[in-house]
Amino acid sequence: MDKLLYKSTRGLEKDISASYAIVKGLAEDGGLYVPSYIPKMKKTMAELSEMNYQDIAYEVMSLYYQDFTEEELRACIHKAYDHKFDTKAIAPTIKVGDVYMLELFHGSTIAFKDMALSILPYLMKTAAKKIGIEKDIVILTATSGDTGKAALAGFADVENTKIIVFYPKDGVSPIQKKQMVTQKGDNTFVVGIEGNFDDAQNGVKRIFSDTTFNKELEDGGFQFSSANSINIGRLIPQVAYYFYTYATLVRQKEIREGETINVAVPTGNFGNILAAYYAKEMGLPLGKLICASNDNKVLFDFIRTGKYDRQRPFMLTISPSMDILISSNLERLIYEIAGADSRATKALMESLTSNGFYEVTDQMKEGLSEFYGNYANQVETQETIKKVFEKNNYLMDPHTAVGYAVYEKYMAESGDQTKTVVVSTASPYKFTKSTMISLDEEYNQIDDFQLIDKMREKSGVEIPGAIHEILEANVRHNTICKHDEMETIIKKFLKI
């Protein structure tokens, strides 16, 4: 097989090395980097089922990052997946009733973003050295709540880097906000945006494609990169945990080797479920990819109709990390179902920017058949948290509950009895108020931070270290700006 390289979904760049794609983050034409082909997993499931998380991560990533030596890649993996996680399993799979929960919240910021953002700084440092970059790298990121803290934690005090995170000032949970604004590190900057996540993300994309601004940055000795899931250095590490959960179930004799399982994934930006799609294309026996949305159900409407339409009210929900109307990673799937047609992909993305919507062809719509889309509204999400806790003594955060509720809708509609893994994307401790009032409305009278002890009493689950840490931490970042002031703020931070 030819060497795996990268190209832009919009056609301008091709034959790009993994290192270059990781450092750049976003292609010059505004497209996303995709692999020249999706490789097949070389190891058998029997072999994988005897491996730990780090070794499975290596087997996946080595297929995609072919310009890294084995020594370089294993070093990145072992520095990432270490004592920062509170379990040796890194991403354990727990049986809850008839469902399996893939817990991705055991890292240092108690959300699934840790799975990729723990390794991205090491990948980026190694990649920058490999391609001879001497400028300081400025990580520029928009967050709907979890990416921000995980990226800040990963890049804090990493030499030759600075990280600037923009978040919607009224669109994250109090605990998410406290995690970000107390972040230590002389190279970290956190800014609240007057607007929603899409405003922050659009601003970041605008800055990436502003050639004049980028030239000013270069003259100042800096170059941008991204820690958002648009970076291929974030997407590929997420593929690993789908192989790991399957290998875990084989090892635990919950499934037979080769048996098909479904996965239900709560998602807003589409990266987490796209990683499952890549795993399936690599040969992992996944059946239906269940795409779960909250009230911002733009992905559900797209999977059902083939029309992606962001022209709708933006809803603030109790699952804020999914409060997104422009799912950036969907562009990679569009490229795949368009038969790797970069011109068609570019035209659709330009239509989204200029018209607020696009519609795929009937033939492309057939490519969506592996996905099932649905959504859970706020009431359904709360009812699911309460029902699962009362029945199984398992407390889910609201994002995970969206995934579980949509899995139940799929079961009811299809009658499909295939064993299913629900991806659990955050600890309930990150969303104390919305989780606890789902159990009992009386908790609404109590402050988010005071509810931490109540949650421990009720659930019996120990308070994570990440929560203890922020309770005593001082606020270090209090900058607020309008979304059209982002460039000015960046220049001020970088002193250019």
Side-chain angles (χ1 to χ4, degrees), residues 226-242:
S226 170
N228 279 91
S229 57
I230 53 175
N231 192 316
I232 203 72
R234 264 207 46 197
L235 180 65
I236 301 308
Q238 293 180 259
V239 177
Y241 50 69
Y242 290 102

Side-chain angles (χ1 to χ4, degrees), residues 17-38:
S17 71
S19 291
Y20 183 85
I22 289 167
V23 171
K24 280 277 295 203
L26 191 68
E28 279 182 29
D29 56 4
L32 308 190
Y33 289 118
V34 285
S36 49
Y37 61 90
I38 295 180

Side-chain angles (χ1 to χ4, degrees), residues 79-98:
K79 284 174 190 163
Y81 305 114
D82 59 6
H83 58 82
K84 291 189 288 294
F85 288 79
D86 64 18
T87 165
K88 273 191 173 167
I90 307 296
T93 302
I94 313 290
K95 193 170 187 183
V96 176
D98 298 328

Side-chain angles (χ1 to χ4, degrees), residues 206-304:
R206 182 184 71 239
I207 291 163
F208 269 115
S209 56
D210 182 337
T211 48
T212 311
F213 190 58
N214 276 263
K215 179 76 174 70
E216 279 185 68
L217 212 70
E218 273 185 43
D219 293 343
F222 300 105
Q223 88 165 63
F224 280 136
S225 188
S226 170
N228 279 91
S229 57
I230 53 175
N231 192 316
I232 203 72
R234 264 207 46 197
L235 180 65
I236 301 308
Q238 293 180 259
V239 177
Y241 50 69
Y242 290 102
F243 278 93
Y244 184 70
T245 191
Y246 191 96
T248 301
L249 294 175
V250 170
R251 188 172 63 251
Q252 293 173 348
K253 297 190 167 40
E254 293 288 343
I255 58 171
R256 299 180 316 279
E257 187 182 345
E259 183 178 344
T260 297
I261 63 169
N262 294 337
V263 289
V265 188
T267 187
N269 223 355
F270 204 74
N272 205 357
I273 198 162
L274 183 70
Y277 172 83
Y278 272 38
K280 185 175 180 177
E281 293 292 302
M282 290 173 73
L284 190 65
L286 298 181
K288 197 58 87 174
L289 306 177
I290 300 166
C291 178
S293 302
N294 64 15
D295 282 303
N296 293 292
K297 58 188 181 68
V298 64
L299 285 167
F300 161 59
D301 291 337
F302 171 66
I303 291 168
R304 196 183 44 154

